[in-house]
């Protein structure tokens, strides 16, 4: 798979897409008025956006950010929820092509299987912007840019912060890690696992071991169910690495049901930084969180405006993120916007 760390940062230009048609359906219910910041020759920029779904608190915050930023920018936003199904996203993208939107943006469910529909968008001269997640294509010109995080770096950061968590806990001996993976085939699941393992193999080959690893589909229910199975098969697990906070929160329920103390008997590191994750961390149930910022809406709208105007943009537009431990949780919690 194409690793986003290796993306070229060279600027690329794209041609402005066709005009907005009056018959286009506005799924998000947010219609722009002419003359605003989204104005395009007297007509509002039309943006078709296909979201993965609503599987987590992070995804809900991401959707809200896109909708609010689209409204603020004065765009006509056509929003669709794919319910975590690639076929639904492909159908939505084809619908946007038929409606002749100005720009298409989407957060892909999985990394592969997009060439055909992206070629259709290119043939229609509609530029495509990826948000949050990357794709693997035979031709990188099929999309203009990616607005999102470095998932491989997030996995690496999770391993580094786990070192600090283990040291603070005074842990001695073998580290037996359970890994709750994200949706199979999704970029964050693949890249977070890769980044974590890279650091683990380089610095902890002799004392760290991933004893069980399975997808929890980025959901709380999945995290709870899979963690319960982990504890049955490997009761000596002493660390959990969860690819997102929602799975970690679900896992906490399973850990407590098994009579163990999350954050103490089983140390927990997760990724995202949603408010519920910070609540769990402030309660001592999650030891550390690697942030993945979902508030991509303003960045996306800025990119859409530039792309539609034919301006050059970077190949990968990264978001700013931080890492947090229990010591920082209570102070940081009141400031969480999602």
């Amino acid at each position: 798979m194409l690793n986003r760390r290796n993306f070229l940062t060279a600027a690329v230009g794209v041609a402005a897409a066709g005009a907005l048609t009056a018959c286009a359906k506005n799924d998000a219910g947010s219609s722009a008025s002419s003359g605003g910041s989204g104005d395009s020759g007297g007509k509002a920029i039309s943006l078709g956006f296909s979201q993965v779904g609503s599987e987590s608190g992070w995804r809900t915050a991401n959707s809200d950010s896109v909708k609010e930023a689209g409204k603020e920018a004065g765009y006509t936003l056509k929003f669709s929820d794919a319910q975590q199904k690639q076929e639904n996203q492909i159908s939505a993208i084809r619908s946007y092509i038929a409606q002749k939107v100005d720009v298409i943006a989407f957060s892909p469910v999985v990394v592969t299987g997009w060439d055909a529909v992206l070629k259709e968008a290119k043939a229609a001269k509609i530029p495509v912007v990826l948000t949050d997640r990357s794709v693997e294509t035979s031709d990188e010109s099929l999309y203009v840019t990616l607005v999102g995080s470095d998932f491989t770096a997030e996995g690496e950061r999770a391993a580094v912060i786990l070192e600090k968590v283990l040291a603070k806990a005074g842990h001695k001996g073998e580290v037996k890690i359970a890994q709750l993976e994200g949706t199979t085939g999704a970029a964050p699941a693949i890249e977070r696992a890769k980044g974590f393992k890279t650091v683990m193999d380089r610095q902890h080959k002799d004392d760290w071991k991933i004893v069980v690893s399975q997808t929890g589909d980025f959901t709380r229910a999945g995290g709870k169910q899979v963690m319960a199975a982990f504890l049955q098969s490997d009761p000596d697990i002493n660390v959990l690495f969860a690819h997102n906070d929602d799975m970690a929160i679900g896992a906490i329920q399973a850990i407590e049901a098994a009579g163990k103390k999350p954050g103490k008997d089983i140390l927990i590191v997760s990724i995202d930084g949603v408010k519920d994750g910070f609540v769990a961390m402030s309660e001592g149930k999650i030891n550390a969180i690697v942030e993945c910022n979902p508030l991509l809406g303003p960045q996306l709208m800025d990119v859409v405006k530039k792309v539609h105007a034919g301006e050059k943009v970077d190949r990968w537009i990264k978001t700013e993120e931080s890492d947090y431990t229990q010591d920082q949780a209570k102070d940081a919690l009141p400031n969480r916007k999602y």
Side-chain angles (χ1 to χ4, degrees), residues 90-244:
I90 292 173
S91 177
I93 293 170
R94 286 186 169 138
S95 174
Y96 297 149
I97 294 169
Q99 294 176 54
K100 300 181 181 179
V101 299
D102 294 315
V103 180
I104 292 172
F106 75 109
S107 180
V109 176
V110 293
V111 297
T112 59
W114 302 104
D115 276 26
V117 73
L118 292 182
K119 286 177 180 177
E120 291 171 25
K122 185 176 181 179
K125 298 182 180 180
I126 300 175
V128 174
V129 175
L130 303 180
T131 70
D132 175 38
R133 300 178 176 186
S134 61
V135 298
E136 180 179 317
T137 66
S138 59
D139 178 3
E140 288 190 16
S141 72
L142 295 178
Y143 65 92
V144 179
T145 185
L146 165 68
V147 180
S149 304
D150 186 335
F151 296 139
T152 301
E154 288 173 354
E156 293 171 351
R157 286 157 50 200
V160 170
I161 208 165
L162 176 57
E163 293 175 326
K164 298 176 182 178
V165 167
L166 290 165
K168 183 177 180 181
H171 180 85
K172 305 293 182 183
E174 188 177 9
V175 179
K176 297 182 178 180
I177 303 169
Q179 179 174 229
L180 276 170
E181 305 168 24
T183 303
T184 301
I190 295 168
E191 295 171 22
R192 287 170 181 170
K194 179 181 178 181
F196 186 89
K197 193 171 187 303
T198 295
V199 173
M200 185 181 77
D201 289 348
R202 184 175 64 232
Q203 299 176 201
H204 299 282
K205 198 169 185 178
D206 296 329
D207 57 332
W208 290 18
K209 183 179 181 182
I210 297 176
V211 294
V212 283
S213 184
Q214 187 176 321
T215 179
D217 256 344
F218 284 127
T219 67
R220 294 192 189 190
K224 181 179 180 180
Q225 180 180 2
V226 176
M227 190 66 195
F230 283 171
L231 292 170
Q232 287 287 329
S233 63
D234 294 89
D236 295 331
I237 293 165
N238 49 33
V239 167
L240 169 64
F241 169 42
H243 286 189
N244 80 338

Side-chain angles (χ1 to χ4, degrees), residues 311-329:
E311 296 180 24
K312 295 179 179 180
V313 295
D314 289 339
R315 184 64 174 164
W316 183 9
I317 299 170
K318 299 181 184 180
T319 54
E320 295 184 4
E321 298 162 342
S322 302
D323 301 331
Y324 299 88
T325 61
Q326 286 180 352
D327 294 337
Q328 303 164 297

Side-chain angles (χ1 to χ4, degrees), residues 34-35 38-45 308:
S34 63
D39 185 65
S40 176
K43 295 181 180 180
I45 292 174
H308 181 64

